[in-house]
Amino acid sequence: MLVEDPQALFDQFVPKARSYVESPGVMAALELDRICMKLYPVVARKLGDTALSNKIRDFGRGLPRKEADELAVLLEEILEHARQQGMHVEG
């Protein structure tokens, strides 16, 4: 069954993304990429927010090619944008 709840997917994304930027690894990048591939279309479809969707997609595409500090900046942008959308962000 596909998860169509943006908040549920976002709740999976946030801790894994934070963990990845603190300690990057290939296996963590693959797992995080799978979550991004599910999350960004749901954000676009359910929330109608293509800007947030594109940021999440770009984050996933940057794994593991971009440096952790670059991804950390993008993650903070994603978290702030999600908060503005009314999504709950842990931490």
Side-chain angles (χ1 to χ4, degrees), residues 11-62:
D11 290 345
Q12 293 175 29
F13 168 77
V14 171
K16 292 195 182 300
R18 285 183 173 152
S19 176
Y20 180 84
V21 298
E22 290 175 12
S23 180
V26 174
M27 294 308 291
L30 291 172
E31 187 176 349
L32 189 50
D33 182 54
R34 283 188 209 109
I35 294 170
C36 290
M37 294 297 288
K38 294 176 188 174
L39 179 58
Y40 83 81
V42 171
V43 166
R45 197 169 40 251
K46 296 286 187 171
L47 299 179
D49 191 332
T50 55
L52 179 56
S53 175
N54 289 340
K55 287 178 185 179
I56 294 166
R57 184 193 66 219
D58 292 346
F59 186 91
R61 286 183 177 169

Side-chain angles (χ1 to χ4, degrees), residues 60-72:
R61 286 183 177 169
L63 299 167
R65 293 176 293 282
K66 287 189 178 181
E67 294 294 323
D69 57 338
E70 291 177 87
L71 289 171

